[in-house]
Amino acid sequence: MQHSLCAGRSTVAHTHVRSLTRSKINVNATQGRINGRTSESLVPSCHANEPKSSDCIISADQAIPTVGATELPTQGDSAVAGIDPIDYINKQLQDILKPPSTEDYLAEFLAIQSNHPRSIGFFGTRNMGFMHQQLIEVLSYAMVLTGNHIFTSGATGTNAAVIRGALRAENPDLLTVVLPQSLDKQPAESQDLLQQVQNLVEMPQNDELPLLEASRICNRDITHRVQQVICFAFHDSNLLLETCVEARAEMKIVTLFYLD
């Protein structure tokens, strides 16, 4: 009786093993169809008359070969080899974080690091409020006190504030005013102030030109003389913005303040 019970248990156990084996083969065969291959190409042939071996059983963690697939490294391989320096994502990050190599950024960096005096051109609109003029006057005063050479023109507003600040520093050699035309062509309210300037450059050859064209020539002349440009403008100050663009093209350091 006991022998029959054991035999029955053995038969059930063998049947259970065959079921599990068949299930494992079916699962892996299904995966093979998903990868584009049939189950016959993935599952070893196991016929009823052949002895059962380990080749007939495919475990769940056994790798299934695929055709044309990329071999991916394991976690252990990645930990040992590290990240590939030419990896796509890493390359994208390097491109984003790569600092600009243009010469204007280099010139600006060197100017910031340098404590040596520079030649600075001041440009700006005539439509300047009283508070803004006071700020510009203080800035010009401080620039001359620290040994910088100031260049500007002779119009009212910004130019007049720059001249007043530079004259307060009592170092006339560090102020140069370039006029777009002759002195007598300048506004009457600027005449007295311009008379106090020691280094005054006139352009009488431009007296017959429209003031806009003469001012453009004057601005270019000042830009050629300086290392840095400071400009106070509105977004519709076309001539001033044009001057800043030309100064940047000449690799000058440009600091542009918008008043609107």
Side-chain angles (χ1 to χ4, degrees), residues 20-200:
L20 291 177
T21 303
R22 189 176 298 106
S23 299
K24 292 179 179 179
I25 293 176
N26 291 336
V27 169
N28 286 279
T30 304
Q31 293 178 352
R33 292 191 187 94
I34 294 175
N35 289 327
R37 302 183 62 190
T38 60
S39 60
E40 289 77 13
S41 62
L42 297 175
V43 182
S45 59
C46 299
H47 300 285
N49 298 329
E50 292 180 356
K52 300 295 185 294
S53 66
S54 59
D55 294 336
C56 296
I57 300 177
I58 301 178
S59 61
D61 57 350
Q62 182 176 346
I64 300 175
T66 57
V67 177
T70 303
E71 295 184 0
L72 299 177
T74 63
Q75 292 183 351
D77 294 336
S78 301
V80 173
I83 299 176
D84 189 352
I86 60 173
D87 180 74
Y88 176 77
I89 298 178
N90 193 26
K91 184 177 182 300
Q92 294 298 316
L93 291 176
Q94 290 177 356
D95 293 340
I96 294 173
L97 298 177
K98 183 179 180 181
S101 58
T102 53
E103 297 181 5
D104 53 342
Y105 287 123
L106 178 60
E108 185 170 355
F109 175 76
L110 294 176
I112 293 173
Q113 296 297 317
S114 175
N115 293 323
H116 300 292
R118 298 187 299 273
S119 55
I120 303 175
F122 276 84
F123 300 91
T125 177
R126 294 178 175 85
N127 302 320
M128 179 71 63
F130 178 73
M131 294 297 297
H132 285 144
Q133 290 189 43
Q134 283 189 319
L135 291 174
I136 295 173
E137 187 173 334
V138 171
L139 178 60
S140 175
Y141 173 74
M143 288 292 184
V144 175
L145 283 183
T146 53
N148 298 285
H149 194 137
I150 302 300
F151 289 81
T152 192
S153 191
T156 58
T158 301
N159 298 144
V162 171
I163 295 173
R164 287 195 300 268
L167 292 176
R168 282 180 51 198
E170 298 180 352
N171 196 340
D173 293 336
L174 295 181
L175 172 64
T176 299
V177 176
V178 181
L179 302 178
Q181 296 170 325
S182 301
L183 177 60
D184 56 3
K185 288 279 188 179
Q186 303 310 304
E189 56 270 26
S190 300
Q191 292 289 336
D192 293 339
L193 186 62
L194 293 175
Q195 294 290 344
Q196 305 175 41
V197 177
Q198 178 175 307
N199 300 323
L200 187 65

